[in-house]
Structures are given as structure tokens and as C-alpha cells.
Coordinates of all heavy atoms in Angstrom, one line a residue:
M5 N -6.7 -17.5 -25.2 CA -6.5 -16.4 -24.2 C -7.2 -16.8 -22.9 O -8.4 -17.1 -22.9 CB -7.0 -15.1 -24.7 CG -6.5 -13.9 -24.0 SD -7.3 -12.3 -24.5 CE -6.4 -12.1 -26.1
D6 N -6.4 -16.8 -21.8 CA -7.1 -17.1 -20.5 C -7.6 -15.9 -19.8 O -7.4 -14.8 -20.3 CB -6.1 -18.0 -19.6 CG -4.9 -17.2 -19.2 OD1 -5.0 -15.9 -19.2 OD2 -3.9 -17.8 -18.8
N7 N -8.3 -16.1 -18.7 CA -9.0 -15.0 -18.0 C -8.0 -13.9 -17.6 O -8.3 -12.8 -17.7 CB -9.7 -15.5 -16.8 CG -11.1 -16.1 -17.2 OD1 -11.6 -15.9 -18.3 ND2 -11.7 -16.8 -16.3
Q8 N -6.8 -14.4 -17.1 CA -5.9 -13.4 -16.7 C -5.4 -12.5 -17.8 O -5.3 -11.3 -17.6 CB -4.6 -14.2 -16.1 CG -3.6 -13.2 -15.4 CD -4.2 -12.4 -14.2 OE1 -4.8 -13.0 -13.4 NE2 -4.1 -11.1 -14.3
E9 N -5.3 -13.0 -19.0 CA -4.9 -12.2 -20.1 C -6.0 -11.2 -20.5 O -5.7 -10.1 -20.8 CB -4.6 -13.1 -21.3 CG -3.2 -13.8 -21.2 CD -3.0 -14.7 -22.4 OE1 -3.5 -15.8 -22.4 OE2 -2.3 -14.3 -23.3
I10 N -7.2 -11.6 -20.4 CA -8.3 -10.7 -20.7 C -8.3 -9.6 -19.7 O -8.5 -8.4 -20.0 CB -9.7 -11.5 -20.7 CG1 -9.7 -12.5 -21.9 CG2 -10.8 -10.5 -20.8 CD1 -10.7 -13.5 -21.8
I11 N -8.2 -10.0 -18.4 CA -8.2 -8.9 -17.3 C -7.0 -8.0 -17.6 O -7.1 -6.8 -17.4 CB -8.1 -9.6 -15.9 CG1 -9.4 -10.4 -15.7 CG2 -7.9 -8.5 -14.8 CD1 -9.3 -11.3 -14.5
D12 N -5.8 -8.5 -17.9 CA -4.6 -7.7 -18.1 C -4.9 -6.7 -19.3 O -4.4 -5.6 -19.3 CB -3.4 -8.6 -18.5 CG -2.8 -9.2 -17.2 OD1 -3.3 -8.9 -16.1 OD2 -2.0 -10.1 -17.4
Q13 N -5.6 -7.2 -20.3 CA -5.9 -6.3 -21.4 C -6.8 -5.2 -21.0 O -6.7 -4.1 -21.6 CB -6.6 -7.1 -22.5 CG -5.9 -7.0 -23.8 CD -6.5 -8.0 -24.9 OE1 -7.7 -8.3 -24.8 NE2 -5.7 -8.4 -25.8
L14 N -7.7 -5.5 -20.1 CA -8.7 -4.5 -19.7 C -8.3 -3.5 -18.6 O -8.8 -2.5 -18.4 CB -10.0 -5.2 -19.2 CG -10.8 -6.0 -20.3 CD1 -11.9 -6.8 -19.7 CD2 -11.3 -5.1 -21.4
T15 N -7.2 -3.9 -17.9 CA -6.7 -3.1 -16.8 C -5.7 -2.1 -17.2 O -4.7 -2.5 -17.8 CB -6.1 -4.1 -15.7 OG1 -7.0 -5.1 -15.4 CG2 -5.7 -3.3 -14.5
K16 N -6.0 -0.9 -17.1 CA -5.1 0.2 -17.4 C -4.1 0.4 -16.3 O -4.5 0.7 -15.2 CB -5.8 1.5 -17.8 CG -6.8 1.4 -18.9 CD -6.0 1.2 -20.3 CE -7.0 1.0 -21.4 NZ -6.8 -0.3 -22.1
V17 N -2.8 0.3 -16.6 CA -1.8 0.6 -15.6 C -1.4 2.1 -15.6 O -1.4 2.8 -14.6 CB -0.6 -0.3 -15.8 CG1 0.6 0.2 -14.9 CG2 -0.9 -1.7 -15.6
C18 N -1.1 2.6 -16.8 CA -0.9 4.0 -17.0 C -2.1 4.7 -17.5 O -2.5 4.5 -18.6 CB 0.3 4.2 -17.9 SG 0.7 6.0 -18.1
I19 N -2.8 5.3 -16.5 CA -4.1 6.0 -16.9 C -3.9 7.1 -17.9 O -4.6 7.3 -18.8 CB -4.8 6.5 -15.6 CG1 -4.7 5.5 -14.4 CG2 -6.2 7.0 -15.9 CD1 -5.7 4.4 -14.5
C20 N -2.8 7.9 -17.6 CA -2.6 9.1 -18.5 C -2.4 8.6 -20.0 O -2.9 9.3 -20.8 CB -1.3 9.8 -18.1 SG -1.3 10.4 -16.4
K21 N -1.7 7.5 -20.2 CA -1.5 7.1 -21.6 C -2.4 6.0 -22.0 O -2.3 5.5 -23.2 CB 0.0 6.7 -21.7 CG 1.0 7.8 -21.6 CD 0.6 8.9 -22.6 CE 1.7 10.0 -22.7 NZ 2.8 9.6 -23.5
G22 N -3.3 5.5 -21.1 CA -4.2 4.4 -21.5 C -3.5 3.1 -21.9 O -3.9 2.4 -22.8
V23 N -2.4 2.8 -21.1 CA -1.7 1.6 -21.4 C -2.0 0.5 -20.5 O -2.1 0.7 -19.2 CB -0.1 1.9 -21.4 CG1 0.7 0.6 -21.6 CG2 0.2 2.9 -22.5
S24 N -2.3 -0.7 -21.0 CA -2.8 -1.8 -20.2 C -1.7 -2.6 -19.5 O -0.5 -2.5 -19.9 CB -3.6 -2.8 -21.2 OG -2.6 -3.5 -22.0
R25 N -2.1 -3.4 -18.6 CA -1.2 -4.3 -17.9 C -0.5 -5.3 -18.8 O 0.6 -5.7 -18.6 CB -1.9 -5.0 -16.7 CG -1.0 -5.7 -15.7 CD -1.6 -6.0 -14.4 NE -2.8 -6.8 -14.6 CZ -3.7 -6.9 -13.7 NH1 -3.7 -6.2 -12.5 NH2 -4.8 -7.7 -13.9
Q26 N -1.3 -5.7 -19.8 CA -0.8 -6.7 -20.8 C 0.5 -6.1 -21.5 O 1.5 -6.8 -21.7 CB -1.8 -7.0 -21.8 CG -1.5 -8.2 -22.6 CD -2.4 -8.4 -23.8 OE1 -2.8 -7.5 -24.5 NE2 -2.8 -9.6 -24.0
T27 N 0.4 -4.8 -21.9 CA 1.5 -4.1 -22.6 C 2.7 -4.0 -21.6 O 3.8 -4.2 -22.1 CB 1.0 -2.7 -23.1 OG1 -0.1 -2.9 -23.9 CG2 2.1 -2.0 -23.8
I28 N 2.4 -3.7 -20.4 CA 3.5 -3.6 -19.4 C 4.2 -5.0 -19.2 O 5.4 -5.0 -19.2 CB 2.9 -3.1 -18.0 CG1 2.3 -1.7 -18.2 CG2 4.0 -3.1 -16.9 CD1 3.1 -0.6 -18.6
K29 N 3.4 -6.0 -19.1 CA 4.0 -7.3 -18.9 C 4.8 -7.8 -20.1 O 5.9 -8.4 -20.0 CB 2.9 -8.4 -18.7 CG 2.4 -8.4 -17.2 CD 1.4 -9.5 -17.0 CE 0.9 -9.6 -15.6 NZ -0.1 -10.7 -15.5
K30 N 4.3 -7.4 -21.3 CA 5.1 -7.7 -22.5 C 6.4 -7.1 -22.5 O 7.5 -7.7 -22.8 CB 4.3 -7.3 -23.7 CG 4.9 -7.7 -25.1 CD 3.9 -7.5 -26.2 CE 4.5 -7.9 -27.5 NZ 5.5 -6.9 -28.0
A31 N 6.5 -5.8 -22.1 CA 7.7 -5.1 -22.0 C 8.7 -5.7 -21.0 O 9.9 -5.9 -21.3 CB 7.5 -3.6 -21.6
I32 N 8.1 -6.2 -19.9 CA 9.0 -6.9 -18.9 C 9.5 -8.2 -19.5 O 10.7 -8.5 -19.3 CB 8.2 -7.1 -17.6 CG1 7.8 -5.7 -17.0 CG2 9.0 -7.9 -16.6 CD1 6.8 -5.9 -15.8
S33 N 8.6 -8.9 -20.2 CA 9.1 -10.2 -20.7 C 10.2 -10.0 -21.8 O 10.9 -10.9 -22.1 CB 7.9 -10.9 -21.3 OG 7.5 -10.4 -22.6
E34 N 10.2 -8.8 -22.4 CA 11.2 -8.5 -23.4 C 12.5 -7.8 -22.8 O 13.3 -7.3 -23.5 CB 10.6 -7.6 -24.5 CG 9.6 -8.3 -25.3 CD 8.8 -7.4 -26.2 OE1 9.0 -6.2 -26.2 OE2 7.9 -8.0 -27.0
G35 N 12.5 -7.8 -21.5 CA 13.8 -7.4 -20.8 C 13.8 -6.1 -20.0 O 14.8 -5.8 -19.4
A36 N 12.7 -5.4 -20.0 CA 12.6 -4.2 -19.2 C 12.5 -4.6 -17.8 O 11.5 -5.1 -17.3 CB 11.4 -3.3 -19.6
D37 N 13.6 -4.4 -17.0 CA 13.6 -4.9 -15.6 C 13.6 -3.8 -14.6 O 13.8 -4.1 -13.4 CB 14.8 -5.9 -15.4 CG 16.1 -5.2 -15.8 OD1 16.1 -4.0 -16.2 OD2 17.2 -5.9 -15.7
T38 N 13.4 -2.6 -15.0 CA 13.2 -1.5 -14.0 C 12.0 -0.7 -14.5 O 11.6 -0.7 -15.6 CB 14.4 -0.5 -13.9 OG1 14.5 0.1 -15.2 CG2 15.7 -1.3 -13.6
V39 N 11.5 0.1 -13.5 CA 10.3 1.0 -13.9 C 10.7 1.9 -15.0 O 9.9 2.1 -16.0 CB 9.9 1.8 -12.6 CG1 8.8 2.8 -13.0 CG2 9.3 0.8 -11.5
E40 N 11.9 2.5 -14.9 CA 12.3 3.4 -16.0 C 12.4 2.8 -17.3 O 12.0 3.4 -18.3 CB 13.7 4.0 -15.6 CG 13.7 5.0 -14.5 CD 13.5 4.3 -13.1 OE1 13.7 3.1 -13.0 OE2 13.2 5.1 -12.1
K41 N 12.9 1.5 -17.4 CA 13.0 0.9 -18.7 C 11.6 0.5 -19.2 O 11.3 0.6 -20.4 CB 13.8 -0.4 -18.6 CG 15.3 -0.2 -18.4 CD 16.0 -1.5 -18.4 CE 17.4 -1.4 -17.8 NZ 18.0 -2.7 -17.6
V42 N 10.7 0.1 -18.3 CA 9.3 -0.1 -18.7 C 8.7 1.2 -19.3 O 8.0 1.2 -20.3 CB 8.4 -0.7 -17.6 CG1 7.0 -0.8 -18.0 CG2 8.9 -2.1 -17.2
W43 N 8.9 2.3 -18.6 CA 8.4 3.5 -19.0 C 8.9 3.9 -20.4 O 8.1 4.2 -21.3 CB 8.8 4.7 -18.1 CG 8.0 4.8 -16.8 CD1 6.7 4.3 -16.7 CD2 8.3 5.5 -15.6 NE1 6.2 4.7 -15.4 CE2 7.2 5.4 -14.8 CE3 9.4 6.2 -15.2 CZ2 7.2 6.0 -13.5 CZ3 9.4 6.8 -14.0 CH2 8.3 6.7 -13.1
S44 N 10.2 3.8 -20.7 CA 10.7 4.2 -22.0 C 10.2 3.2 -23.1 O 9.9 3.6 -24.2 CB 12.2 4.4 -22.0 OG 12.8 3.2 -21.8
K45 N 10.1 1.9 -22.8 CA 9.7 1.0 -23.8 C 8.2 1.1 -24.1 O 7.9 0.8 -25.3 CB 10.0 -0.5 -23.2 CG 10.2 -1.5 -24.3 CD 10.7 -2.8 -23.6 CE 10.7 -4.0 -24.6 NZ 11.7 -3.9 -25.6
T46 N 7.4 1.5 -23.2 CA 6.0 1.5 -23.5 C 5.4 2.9 -23.6 O 4.2 3.1 -23.7 CB 5.2 0.8 -22.3 OG1 5.5 1.5 -21.1 CG2 5.6 -0.7 -22.2
N47 N 6.4 3.9 -23.6 CA 6.0 5.3 -23.7 C 4.9 5.7 -22.6 O 3.9 6.3 -22.9 CB 5.4 5.6 -25.1 CG 5.3 7.1 -25.3 OD1 6.0 7.9 -24.8 ND2 4.3 7.5 -26.1
T48 N 5.3 5.3 -21.4 CA 4.4 5.6 -20.2 C 5.3 6.4 -19.2 O 6.5 6.6 -19.5 CB 3.8 4.4 -19.6 OG1 4.9 3.5 -19.2 CG2 2.8 3.7 -20.5
G49 N 4.7 6.8 -18.2 CA 5.5 7.6 -17.1 C 5.7 9.0 -17.5 O 6.3 9.8 -16.8
N50 N 5.2 9.4 -18.7 CA 5.4 10.8 -19.2 C 4.1 11.5 -19.4 O 4.0 12.4 -20.2 CB 6.3 10.7 -20.4 CG 5.7 9.8 -21.5 OD1 4.7 9.2 -21.3 ND2 6.4 9.7 -22.6
G51 N 3.1 11.0 -18.8 CA 1.8 11.6 -18.9 C 1.6 12.8 -18.0 O 2.6 13.2 -17.4
S52 N 0.4 13.3 -17.8 CA 0.2 14.5 -16.9 C 0.6 14.2 -15.5 O 1.0 15.2 -14.8 CB -1.2 15.0 -17.0 OG -2.1 13.9 -16.7
C53 N 0.6 13.0 -15.0 CA 1.0 12.8 -13.6 C 2.5 12.5 -13.5 O 3.0 12.3 -12.4 CB 0.2 11.7 -12.9 SG 0.8 10.0 -13.3
K54 N 3.2 12.4 -14.6 CA 4.7 12.2 -14.6 C 5.1 10.9 -13.9 O 6.1 10.8 -13.3 CB 5.4 13.4 -14.0 CG 5.2 14.7 -14.6 CD 6.1 14.8 -15.9 CE 5.8 16.1 -16.6 NZ 5.2 15.9 -17.9
G55 N 4.2 9.9 -14.1 CA 4.5 8.6 -13.5 C 4.2 8.3 -12.1 O 4.5 7.3 -11.5
K56 N 3.5 9.3 -11.5 CA 3.2 9.2 -10.0 C 2.2 8.0 -9.8 O 2.4 7.3 -8.9 CB 2.5 10.5 -9.5 CG 3.5 11.3 -8.8 CD 2.8 12.4 -8.0 CE 3.7 13.5 -7.7 NZ 3.1 14.8 -7.9
R57 N 1.3 7.9 -10.7 CA 0.3 6.8 -10.5 C 0.7 5.5 -11.0 O 0.5 4.5 -10.4 CB -1.0 7.2 -11.2 CG -1.7 8.4 -10.5 CD -3.1 8.7 -11.1 NE -2.9 9.3 -12.4 CZ -3.9 9.8 -13.2 NH1 -5.1 9.7 -12.7 NH2 -3.7 10.3 -14.3
C58 N 1.4 5.5 -12.2 CA 1.7 4.2 -12.7 C 3.1 3.6 -12.2 O 3.3 2.4 -12.3 CB 1.7 4.2 -14.3 SG 2.9 5.4 -15.0
G59 N 3.9 4.5 -11.7 CA 5.3 4.0 -11.3 C 5.2 2.9 -10.2 O 5.8 1.9 -10.3
E60 N 4.3 3.2 -9.2 CA 4.2 2.2 -8.1 C 3.5 0.9 -8.6 O 3.9 -0.2 -8.2 CB 3.3 2.8 -7.1 CG 3.5 2.2 -5.7 CD 2.7 3.0 -4.6 OE1 3.0 4.3 -4.6 OE2 1.9 2.5 -3.9
K61 N 2.6 1.0 -9.5 CA 1.9 -0.2 -10.1 C 2.9 -1.0 -10.9 O 2.9 -2.2 -10.8 CB 0.7 0.2 -10.9 CG -0.5 0.7 -10.1 CD -1.7 0.8 -10.9 CE -2.1 2.3 -11.1 NZ -3.2 2.5 -12.0
I62 N 3.7 -0.3 -11.7 CA 4.7 -1.1 -12.5 C 5.7 -1.8 -11.6 O 6.1 -2.9 -11.8 CB 5.4 -0.1 -13.5 CG1 4.4 0.4 -14.5 CG2 6.6 -0.8 -14.1 CD1 4.9 1.5 -15.4
Q63 N 6.1 -1.1 -10.5 CA 7.0 -1.7 -9.6 C 6.4 -3.0 -9.0 O 7.1 -4.0 -8.9 CB 7.4 -0.7 -8.4 CG 8.5 -1.3 -7.5 CD 9.8 -1.6 -8.2 OE1 10.4 -0.8 -8.9 NE2 10.2 -2.9 -8.2
Q64 N 5.1 -2.9 -8.7 CA 4.4 -4.1 -8.1 C 4.4 -5.3 -9.1 O 4.6 -6.4 -8.8 CB 3.0 -3.8 -7.7 CG 2.9 -3.1 -6.4 CD 1.5 -2.5 -6.1 OE1 0.6 -2.8 -6.9 NE2 1.3 -1.7 -5.1
I65 N 4.2 -4.9 -10.4 CA 4.1 -6.0 -11.5 C 5.5 -6.6 -11.6 O 5.7 -7.8 -11.7 CB 3.6 -5.4 -12.8 CG1 2.2 -4.9 -12.6 CG2 3.7 -6.4 -13.9 CD1 1.6 -4.1 -13.8
L66 N 6.6 -5.7 -11.6 CA 8.0 -6.2 -11.6 C 8.3 -7.1 -10.5 O 8.9 -8.2 -10.7 CB 8.9 -5.0 -11.6 CG 9.2 -4.3 -12.9 CD1 9.9 -3.0 -12.7 CD2 10.0 -5.1 -13.9
D67 N 7.9 -6.8 -9.3 CA 8.1 -7.6 -8.1 C 7.4 -9.0 -8.2 O 8.0 -10.0 -8.0 CB 7.6 -6.9 -6.8 CG 8.4 -5.7 -6.4 OD1 9.5 -5.5 -7.0 OD2 8.0 -4.9 -5.6
Q68 N 6.2 -8.9 -8.7 CA 5.5 -10.2 -8.9 C 6.2 -11.0 -9.9 O 6.3 -12.2 -9.8 CB 4.0 -9.9 -9.4 CG 3.1 -9.7 -8.2 CD 1.7 -9.2 -8.7 OE1 1.5 -9.2 -10.0 NE2 0.9 -8.8 -7.8
W69 N 6.6 -10.4 -11.0 CA 7.2 -11.1 -12.1 C 8.5 -11.8 -11.6 O 8.8 -12.9 -11.9 CB 7.6 -10.1 -13.2 CG 8.2 -10.7 -14.4 CD1 9.5 -10.9 -14.6 CD2 7.5 -11.1 -15.6 NE1 9.7 -11.5 -15.9 CE2 8.5 -11.6 -16.5 CE3 6.2 -11.1 -16.0 CZ2 8.2 -12.1 -17.7 CZ3 5.8 -11.6 -17.2 CH2 6.8 -12.1 -18.1
N70 N 9.3 -11.0 -10.9 CA 10.6 -11.6 -10.4 C 10.4 -12.7 -9.4 O 11.2 -13.7 -9.4 CB 11.4 -10.5 -9.7 CG 11.9 -9.5 -10.7 OD1 12.2 -9.8 -11.9 ND2 12.1 -8.2 -10.3
K71 N 9.3 -12.7 -8.6 CA 9.0 -13.8 -7.7 C 8.6 -15.0 -8.5 O 8.9 -16.1 -8.1 CB 7.8 -13.4 -6.8 CG 8.2 -12.9 -5.5 CD 7.0 -12.7 -4.6 CE 7.0 -11.4 -4.0 NZ 5.6 -11.0 -3.6
G72 N 8.0 -14.8 -9.7 CA 7.5 -16.0 -10.5 C 8.6 -16.6 -11.3 O 8.4 -17.6 -11.9
Q73 N 9.8 -16.0 -11.4 CA 10.9 -16.5 -12.2 C 11.6 -17.6 -11.6 O 11.8 -17.6 -10.4 CB 11.8 -15.4 -12.7 CG 11.1 -14.3 -13.5 CD 10.6 -14.9 -14.8 OE1 11.3 -15.4 -15.6 NE2 9.3 -14.8 -15.0
Ligands
LIG119 S1 -0.5 7.2 -15.0 FE1 1.3 6.9 -16.1 S2 2.1 8.8 -16.5 FE2 0.3 9.1 -15.4

């Protein structure tokens, strides 16, 4: 496991559900290519903030991912 993976594991993207960036990236790697798909695949976006906090962060991760492809 490299440093980036460790950081991804420790960084919570969806605070309401306690879901890490690693889990979000895994969902993207498995084909979730929109924020809504990531939300449904990882059971996020449905916490008390209704995705207000994590939606933007997930979009940023998607943008970075698409740049790297
Ligand atoms: S941070 Fe994801 S639903 Fe609130």
C-alpha cells in the first residue's frame, strides 16, 4: 500500500456516512461515472446534509479521475 492509498483510507469524503476517499475511488473504478452513481453505489449522499458536503468533493475526485484516464 502506498502513501496515497493510506491517505485515501484516512480521508473521509462523506462525513455523514463516514465513507473514505478510497471507497469512493473504488466505486469510480467499478464504473460509477457520475456523483449520483457514486452516491448509490457507496450508500452516501443520503446523510443528514443530503449530499451537500460530499457531492462537490466526489465531483472533484471524478474530474481528477477522468483527467488521469
Ligand atoms: S457528507 Fe455525504 S451525505 Fe453528508
Side-chain angles (χ1 to χ4, degrees):
M5 195 184 285
D6 64 20
N7 279 347
Q8 187 59 52
E9 284 176 281
I10 294 165
I11 293 166
D12 284 349
Q13 232 175 30
L14 294 172
T15 306
K16 300 289 178 239
V17 172
C18 182
I19 313 286
C20 297
K21 294 303 191 79
V23 172
S24 70
R25 190 161 61 201
Q26 193 190 42
T27 302
I28 301 296
K29 282 186 175 175
K30 185 170 180 285
I32 296 171
S33 76
E34 290 169 358
D37 56 2
T38 64
V39 171
E40 288 74 17
K41 287 185 202 171
V42 172
W43 276 343
S44 69
K45 204 171 170 70
T46 58
N47 192 29
T48 55
N50 51 2
S52 56
C53 83
K54 300 279 176 248
K56 259 196 202 134
R57 288 183 292 184
C58 57
E60 203 170 309
K61 285 189 254 176
I62 291 171
Q63 187 59 58
Q64 280 169 9
I65 297 168
L66 277 165
D67 290 347
Q68 270 171 12
W69 183 275
N70 290 329
K71 265 189 229 155
Q73 295 300 299

